[in-house]
């Protein structure tokens, strides 16, 4: 009976059955321990899923060959296919993610056992990608956490800001030159008026105007 219960749990069931053994022997205690751990595992998985699905940008858990093991709701929505249809596919095969990943990036994470960050263009959109290894008990890379963020609007804003800044700089330069030219003319007239003015009081006024210019 206990073996049948354990086998049913190993089939991926998310339901923890009620205990069937009675008494206080080792088998009874073992059944309780197994069912408790199974319930705890389901709770832990639910918390992990809730956390992943709370991310507003697509997130994936990949195998070392780039196949999708897990995808959050944002990734499912962007790909436009059901969760079951995504599992097992290569991330680069999904609509909206074509060309986002080459084998070199995964190899880099696997060999270095360190996370990497890079930008990629996919379908005319700029994406920020962050890849992090999941290390197993033997110290090898078991899976890879793959996070993406859409930078398209940010890049458009940055480009527009750069263009606007350049235009302002040009306009500022033109205005400065125009002011300098007008001041040069004004100063010239001030000096001519100062030379021709015979009244000392008028000269004082013109001198102050020249200093102000």
């Amino acid at each position: 009976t206990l073996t049948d219960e354990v086998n049913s749990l190993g089939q991926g069931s998310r339901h923890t059955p009620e205990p069937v053994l009675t008494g206080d022997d080792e088998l009874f205690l073992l059944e309780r321990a197994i069912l408790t751990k199974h319930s705890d595992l389901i709770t832990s998985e639910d918390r992990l899923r809730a956390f992943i699905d709370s991310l507003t940008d697509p997130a994936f858990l990949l195998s070392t060959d780039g196949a999708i093991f897990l995808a959050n709701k944002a990734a499912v929505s962007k790909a436009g296919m059901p969760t079951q249809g995504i599992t097992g596919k290569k991330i680069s095969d999904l609509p909206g993610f074509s060309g986002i990943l080459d084998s070199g990036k995964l190899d880099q994470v696997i060999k270095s056992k360190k996370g990497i960050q890079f930008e990629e263009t996919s379908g005319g959109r700029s994406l920020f990608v962050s890849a992090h290894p999941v290390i197993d008990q033997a110290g090898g890379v078991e899976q890879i956490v793959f996070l993406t963020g859409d930078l398209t609007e940010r890049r458009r804003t940055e480009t527009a800001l750069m263009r606007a800044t350049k235009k302002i700089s040009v306009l500022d330069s033109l205005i400065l030159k125009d002011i300098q030219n007008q001041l040069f003319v004004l100063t010239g007239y001030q000096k001519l008026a100062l030379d021709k003015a015979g009244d000392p009081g008028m000269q004082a006024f013109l001198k102050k105007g020249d200093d102000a210019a």
Side-chain angles (χ1 to χ4, degrees):
T1 299
L2 184 58
T3 300
D4 289 341
E5 268 196 353
V6 172
N7 286 336
S8 68
L9 297 179
Q11 310 258 330
S13 171
R14 293 189 54 77
H15 171 68
T16 301
E18 294 295 325
V20 295
L21 301 184
T22 58
D24 58 359
D25 59 6
E26 290 183 0
L27 287 180
F28 169 81
L29 297 176
L30 180 59
E31 180 191 36
R32 293 300 189 278
I34 290 173
L35 296 182
T36 298
K37 292 300 181 182
H38 183 259
S39 178
D40 291 344
L41 179 61
I42 291 176
T43 300
S44 178
E45 288 179 347
D46 288 341
R47 289 173 180 170
L48 177 60
R49 167 57 71 177
F51 172 73
I52 293 174
D53 284 338
S54 70
L55 300 176
T56 55
D57 290 314
F60 302 89
L61 184 62
L62 306 179
S63 63
T64 53
D65 63 354
I68 299 171
F69 178 73
L70 182 68
N72 69 345
K73 288 183 178 180
V76 171
S77 175
K78 187 173 180 62
M81 59 177 62
T83 304
Q84 295 83 356
I86 284 183
T87 304
K89 285 185 174 294
K90 295 293 182 69
I91 186 172
S92 56
D93 294 334
L94 297 182
F97 296 97
S98 58
I100 191 177
L101 182 66
D102 57 44
S103 58
K105 292 290 192 304
L106 287 180
D107 289 341
Q108 184 178 344
V109 174
I110 294 171
K111 290 178 181 178
S112 67
K113 299 181 182 179
K114 294 180 180 179
I116 61 172
Q117 296 177 337
F118 58 95
E119 286 191 32
E120 192 70 68
T121 301
S122 176
R125 305 191 70 80
S126 299
L127 300 177
F128 174 78
V129 181
S130 180
H132 303 272
V134 177
I135 309 298
D136 59 22
Q137 292 183 343
V141 176
E142 182 179 26
Q143 295 169 329
I144 298 174
V145 176
F146 204 74
L147 308 175
T148 68
D150 196 330
L151 299 178
T152 306
E153 293 304 321
R154 178 176 176 177
R155 290 292 176 260
R156 287 176 182 169
T157 302
E158 289 176 349
T159 300
L161 181 59
M162 288 176 61
R163 290 175 179 171
T165 302
K166 185 176 181 179
K167 290 180 179 179
I168 292 173
S169 178
V170 172
L171 182 61
D172 182 62
S173 177
L174 292 174
I175 291 174
L176 179 60
K177 289 180 179 179
D178 192 42
I179 292 175
Q180 287 175 333
N181 291 337
Q182 294 299 323
L183 279 174
F184 178 75
V185 173
L186 176 60
T187 304
Y189 280 121
Q190 286 281 98
K191 291 186 181 299
L192 288 174
L194 189 60
D195 292 339
K196 293 183 177 297
D199 185 347
M202 182 61 71
Q203 285 191 346
F205 288 140
L206 291 172
K207 183 65 171 60
K208 289 183 179 180
D210 187 54
D211 292 340

